């Protein structure tokens, strides 16, 4: 059976304006042994333009001997106009993120954004299923907030190597989501078990649309299940970027569109794409 429908945002129809500005750091603290949360003080006008699935291009500081050259794209973890906060969740893996980790309260960070095509929730999608692993949950967190605002039912399947590295489960639960945790350490995160879990949701009528981020393994699985049952979905893709605004073509990757393969820029035509069009690498 084919996918019931395809509802995706079109870049040309989005008129969001990106800003470049320096924002003060409110906090920059560890979440667990692998990840940190960066909280920036942001103006209401900037936060009003943010949407779930978008990202900012961060100009990492040059300090402590670190000299990151290019900006780093980072998905929005949370945006809260009522408190004037912009949140990012990140893992320290290289020069750029090491420099970010060195930022202290009161220092300023240059940001460019919000950028990219966001997630969409169709009017008749009442039961949403979020599937992500590790830091991929950061991209889906704002989507959970939007689902609550719209009164949609939500199931969040959160995967990690170990229970200590599971993130955002309490956040999702506080938003009313049914949270399912799967970990390598407990032997529950293998593809076969994940498929059984998702098929159970489909059988119970609790899966109108799938949302995921990053993982090729999860993308392939959701594409298979989506095609099997005619369930649409969207994916936020991770890709190396240079400019972040579509000029350098550094983030181009192939997609299946109709009977053709096309090449699109993740920063400009994405980062959110139709799940069935994305090609797993």
């Amino acid at each position: 059976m084919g996918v019931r429908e395809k509802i995706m945002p079109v870049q040309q129809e989005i008129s969001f304006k990106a800003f470049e500005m320096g924002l003060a750091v409110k906090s920059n603290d560890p979440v667990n042994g692998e990840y940190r949360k960066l909280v920036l003080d942001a103006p209401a006008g900037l936060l009003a333009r943010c949407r779930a699935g978008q990202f900012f291009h961060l100009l990492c500081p040059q300090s402590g001997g670190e000299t990151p050259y290019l900006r780093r794209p980072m998905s929005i973890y949370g945006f809260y106009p009522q408190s004037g906060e912009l949140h990012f969740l990140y893992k320290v893996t290289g020069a750029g993120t090491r420099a970010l980790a060195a930022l202290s309260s009161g220092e300023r960070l240059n940001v460019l954004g919000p950028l990219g095509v966001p997630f969409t929730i169709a009017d008749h999608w009442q039961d949403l299923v979020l599937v992500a692993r590790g830091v991929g949950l950061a991209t889906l967190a704002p989507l959970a907030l939007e689902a609550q605002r719209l009164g949609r039912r939500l199931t969040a399947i959160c995967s990690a190597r170990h229970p200590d590295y599971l993130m955002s489960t309490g956040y999702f639960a506080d938003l009313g989501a049914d949270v399912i945790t799967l970990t390598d350490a407990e032997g529950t995160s293998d593809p076969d078990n994940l498929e059984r879990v998702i098929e159970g949701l489909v059988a119970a009528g609790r899966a109108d649309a799938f949302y995921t981020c990053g993982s090729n393994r999860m993308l392939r699985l959701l594409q298979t299940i989506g095609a099997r049952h005619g369930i649409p979905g969207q994916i936020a893709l991770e890709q190396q970027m240079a400019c972040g605004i579509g000029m350098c073509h550094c983030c181009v990757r192939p997609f299946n569109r109709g009977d053709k393969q096309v090449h699109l820029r993740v920063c400009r035509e994405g980062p959110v794409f139709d799940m069935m069009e994305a090609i797993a690498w």
Side-chain angles (χ1 to χ4, degrees):
M1 180 184 296
V3 174
R4 284 198 296 260
E5 62 197 301
K6 179 174 67 177
I7 298 180
M8 284 297 300
V10 178
Q11 178 68 36
Q12 288 77 9
E13 296 175 353
I14 296 175
S15 59
F16 299 135
K17 183 178 179 181
F19 293 90
E20 180 182 5
M21 61 180 65
L23 302 181
V25 175
K26 295 185 73 171
S27 63
N28 187 19
D29 301 318
V31 173
N32 55 35
E34 287 195 328
Y35 296 94
R36 301 176 67 91
K37 184 169 73 172
L38 174 65
V39 178
L40 303 178
D41 190 3
L46 177 67
L47 296 170
R49 294 180 179 275
C50 295
R51 298 292 184 273
Q54 291 185 300
F55 69 97
F56 277 78
H57 224 26
L58 308 184
L59 184 62
C60 301
Q62 296 191 3
S63 62
E66 301 289 0
T67 56
Y69 178 68
L70 296 174
R71 288 178 179 265
R72 298 300 191 269
M74 195 162 293
S75 299
I76 300 171
Y77 182 55
F79 53 97
Y80 305 97
Q82 65 275 20
S83 59
E85 292 183 351
L86 179 62
H87 293 193
F88 297 99
L89 192 69
Y90 66 99
K91 181 178 180 179
V92 178
T93 58
T97 46
R98 282 196 300 268
L100 285 179
L103 285 170
S104 301
S105 178
E107 294 188 82
R108 301 189 73 83
L109 177 67
N110 181 283
V111 306
L112 173 65
L115 298 168
V117 175
F119 288 112
T120 56
I121 301 176
D123 291 342
H124 57 288
W125 294 351
Q126 296 300 315
D127 287 274
L128 313 179
V129 179
L130 276 57
V131 187
R133 181 176 173 88
V135 78
L137 292 165
T139 304
L140 298 176
L143 183 64
L145 190 64
E146 179 68 4
Q148 184 202 45
R149 186 184 71 80
L150 295 173
R152 309 302 169 86
R153 293 179 293 272
L154 182 68
T155 301
I157 302 176
C158 306
S159 176
R161 289 190 292 108
H162 189 277
D164 291 344
Y165 298 144
L166 286 166
M167 293 179 298
S168 304
T169 54
Y171 179 78
F172 288 134
D174 289 343
L175 292 174
D178 291 329
V179 179
I180 300 172
T181 60
L182 307 174
T183 68
D184 299 353
E186 296 169 312
T188 56
S189 62
D190 63 277
D192 289 341
N193 188 55
L194 178 58
E195 183 172 6
R196 284 192 292 271
V197 170
I198 297 172
E199 285 286 359
L201 294 172
V202 173
R206 295 173 53 195
D208 292 332
F210 296 133
Y211 294 89
T212 190
C213 175
S215 168
N216 284 323
R217 184 183 72 176
M218 289 183 176
L219 171 59
R220 293 189 191 96
L221 178 58
L222 290 175
Q223 286 175 332
T224 299
I225 297 174
R228 184 184 300 155
H229 298 286
I231 298 174
Q234 297 174 10
I235 181 170
L237 291 173
E238 300 170 344
Q239 196 77 2
Q240 288 187 335
M241 297 179 188
C243 73
I245 57 175
M247 295 179 65
C248 70
H249 289 240
C250 174
C251 62
V252 169
R253 61 183 288 166
F255 295 83
N256 292 317
R257 183 159 288 180
D259 59 352
K260 299 179 180 179
Q261 187 174 106
V262 299
H263 288 79
L264 303 173
R265 298 163 295 181
V266 172
C267 73
R268 186 70 176 174
E269 284 79 44
V272 175
F273 293 92
D274 182 280
M275 180 184 74
M276 301 306 291
E277 293 183 347
I279 297 175
W281 288 5

